[in-house]
Amino acid sequence: MLHYPFINLLLLAIAFLGEKEAINGDSFKHHFISNELPGDENWGYGISILEDLDNDGDLDFVTAVKSDSIYWFDNRGSEEWVRHAVGKINTVQLGSAVTDVDGDGWPDIIIGGDWYQNPKNPKDAPFKRFKYDRRIENEIHDIVLADIDGDGQDEIVVSGDKEGCFWYKIPPHPVQDIDWERHTITMDVLKGNEAIHSGIWPAGIDDLDNDGDVDLVLPDRWLENKNRGKDWEKHGLPFGKRGPWGLSSRSWIIDMDKDGDKDIVIADSDQTACRIAWLENDGLDSPTFKAHYLPVTAPGTNGSFHSLALADFDGDGDMDIFTVEQEDPTIFPEGRGPRWYIWENMDGKGGEFEERVIFDGNLGGTMH
C-alpha cells in the first residue's frame, strides 16, 4: 500500500484564528517546510510528527522517505527549517509516536517495532535505533501512547492489519535490543477481508464507560478495558466500512455534547467516498452510540480522510473538526483534487456543523 502525505514537499497548516470569526479559505495559509526530500522517489511517507526534539522550546518536524530513512527538520523560525538525519528504517512504516523512552529528559521516536534514542545533540548526531519487538515484520499503521494499566505511566499501543493490536509497558532498562512483553488487545485485525487497517490513531483511547480506565476505538467497534488491560470486551459501533485494505478509520474520543460522558469523532480512511461523524454516548454503564454524520457539501466525491484533529479553530470555546484527504492515487477524490476541511461547530454541542474548505490547492496530506 502506498501513502503520499506530501508529494515533493512538506507543508504545515497554521491554525487558530484568535478572536472569533468565521472560518473560511482565507483563514489559513500553508507554509513550506521543504520542497524536496532526499532519495530517488523524493517524497515523504506516513510518519509526521511535530515535537521539540532539540529541547530549544519550539516544535520541530519529523518525516520519512519511504522505506529508507527518517529525518527531522529543525525549526529555526522565520520559516527556516534545517534537515537532519534520525536514522534508517528497514521496512515501510506509518505509525509513529514521540515519548521519553529512556527517561533522560529528551524525546525519543517510536516507529514500527523500533525506537530511536535521542542523542541529546540531535543537530550533530543521529539517533540510535533499538528493537522493542523483533517479532514485528510488517507495517504498523497506528501508534498511540496511553495509560492502559492505570499505573500513571503511558504504555505504547500499536495496531497493524498484518500484525495485530497490542500494548507494551516500557521496561525499566529499555536501552537494549530486547522483546518487551506484548499484551494482546485483539487479533481480529488479521481476519482477511475483515482486517482492520487502522482505527486508534490519533486519540481513540480514553474512558468511554466512566469506570476509571481507558477503552479503545476501532472502526466498527469499541473494546472495553477489563482487568487493567489484560482482557478486552468487544462492543459494536454504528460506523465502519471496508476499503481496499479492510476497515480503516481515524478516531478521537471527546465529550462533544458536553453532557459529562465521552463521545467519539470518527472518519473513514484508506478508501474513497469517506464519511465523518461523531458518535453520541448514551451514558449507560455499558454505553451504546448514535451516529451523527457531518455534512458533506463540497463538489465531487471524497477521497481518503487520513487525518483527524480537534481544536477550537475559531476561538469560540468549542471543538471544531479538521481533516485532510490524502494523495494516494488509488483512492483519490473524484471530480476534484484533495482538500483540507474544517467542520465548524455552530451550536457548541455538536448539534450543527458547517463544512468549510480551508485549502483547495490540489495538495493532500496524512498524519501519523
Side-chain angles (χ1 to χ4, degrees):
M1 174 182 178
L2 299 179
H3 285 247
Y4 296 79
F6 311 113
I7 294 182
N8 293 325
L9 57 91
L10 301 175
L11 56 86
L12 178 65
I14 303 300
F16 298 104
L17 305 176
E19 298 297 325
K20 175 171 173 50
E21 56 184 276
I23 297 174
N24 57 55
D26 297 325
S27 304
F28 299 83
K29 177 184 177 182
H30 81 274
H31 297 259
F32 291 98
I33 294 175
S34 174
N35 58 14
E36 64 179 12
L37 283 169
D40 294 337
E41 300 192 53
N42 200 34
W43 48 272
Y45 211 67
I47 299 160
S48 53
I49 306 169
L50 283 169
E51 183 71 30
D52 184 8
L53 290 179
D54 52 4
N55 281 348
D56 66 353
D58 55 36
L59 291 175
D60 308 303
F61 182 72
V62 184
T63 192
V65 178
K66 206 177 178 184
S67 57
D68 177 39
S69 297
I70 307 165
Y71 298 92
W72 73 279
F73 289 77
D74 178 20
N75 182 356
R76 299 287 180 87
S78 300
E79 305 208 27
E80 180 186 1
W81 299 80
V82 178
R83 190 184 74 223
H84 303 275
V86 171
K88 295 286 186 179
I89 51 176
N90 291 331
T91 60
V92 169
Q93 292 294 340
L94 292 170
S96 55
V98 173
T99 192
D100 184 4
V101 174
D102 55 4
D104 65 355
W106 289 79
D108 307 302
I109 299 171
I110 305 165
I111 295 170
D114 301 328
W115 72 277
Y116 294 74
Q117 184 185 35
N118 194 318
K120 303 181 185 178
N121 57 337
K123 295 176 184 178
D124 302 313
F127 288 54
K128 185 174 182 180
R129 183 175 67 183
F130 294 94
K131 291 281 186 183
Y132 71 86
D133 192 341
R134 290 167 292 185
R135 295 161 290 187
I136 292 177
E137 298 178 348
N138 301 289
E139 169 192 299
I140 292 297
H141 197 283
D142 292 353
I143 299 180
V144 176
L145 302 171
D147 181 9
I148 297 297
D149 59 5
D151 67 349
Q153 302 294 320
D154 280 345
E155 281 76 50
I156 299 169
V157 188
V158 309
S159 181
D161 55 276
K162 292 181 177 63
E163 292 287 350
C165 187
F166 313 105
W167 66 272
Y168 306 84
K169 178 176 289 296
I170 298 173
H173 305 290
V175 186
Q176 52 186 318
D177 287 320
I178 57 172
D179 289 334
W180 299 355
E181 184 179 1
R182 175 192 284 188
H183 302 275
T184 298
I185 295 173
T186 178
M187 297 300 288
D188 285 353
V189 294
L190 307 175
K191 290 184 177 178
N193 193 41
E194 301 294 315
I196 297 176
H197 188 60
S198 66
I200 58 175
W201 193 90
I205 303 177
D206 207 333
D207 187 1
L208 289 171
D209 52 4
N210 281 326
D211 66 351
D213 55 30
V214 298
D215 310 298
L216 182 146
V217 170
L218 292 172
D220 65 343
R221 70 198 69 177
W222 69 278
L223 299 176
E224 183 180 352
N225 187 343
K226 300 278 193 176
N227 190 24
R228 301 170 69 89
K230 301 296 176 60
D231 301 294
W232 299 82
E233 182 177 343
K234 176 182 172 181
H235 304 270
L237 287 176
F239 198 81
K241 65 188 183 78
R242 292 170 183 82
W245 297 277
L247 289 157
S248 187
S249 68
R250 315 276 77 189
S251 62
W252 195 296
I253 298 175
I254 191 171
D255 184 3
M256 179 58 69
D257 53 6
K258 300 181 180 179
D259 66 352
D261 51 43
K262 297 292 180 67
D263 310 299
I264 303 166
V265 177
I266 192 165
D268 292 320
S269 66
D270 295 296
Q271 57 197 285
T272 56
C274 280
R275 310 157 302 163
I276 186 166
W278 72 277
L279 310 182
E280 182 181 358
N281 188 331
D282 64 10
L284 299 178
D285 289 343
S286 182
T288 59
F289 293 82
K290 178 182 178 181
H292 301 273
Y293 286 89
L294 276 58
V296 177
T297 58
T301 300
N302 293 332
S304 169
F305 290 158
H306 209 279
S307 304
L308 183 65
L310 270 69
D312 182 10
F313 290 104
D314 55 2
D316 66 352
D318 55 42
M319 292 291 104
D320 309 299
I321 301 170
F322 165 88
T323 192
V324 181
E325 293 169 309
Q326 69 186 107
E327 291 184 358
D328 187 330
T330 66
I331 46 177
F332 206 69
E334 297 177 9
R336 56 174 172 78
R339 288 172 168 159
W340 301 50
Y341 297 90
I342 287 177
W343 280 269
E344 186 175 355
N345 190 341
M346 304 304 294
D347 68 354
K349 294 187 176 181
E352 181 184 0
F353 283 91
E354 292 190 10
E355 178 193 79
R356 316 291 191 196
V357 176
I358 62 166
F359 184 67
D360 195 8
N362 200 33
L363 294 171
T366 184
M367 298 162 60
H368 279 277

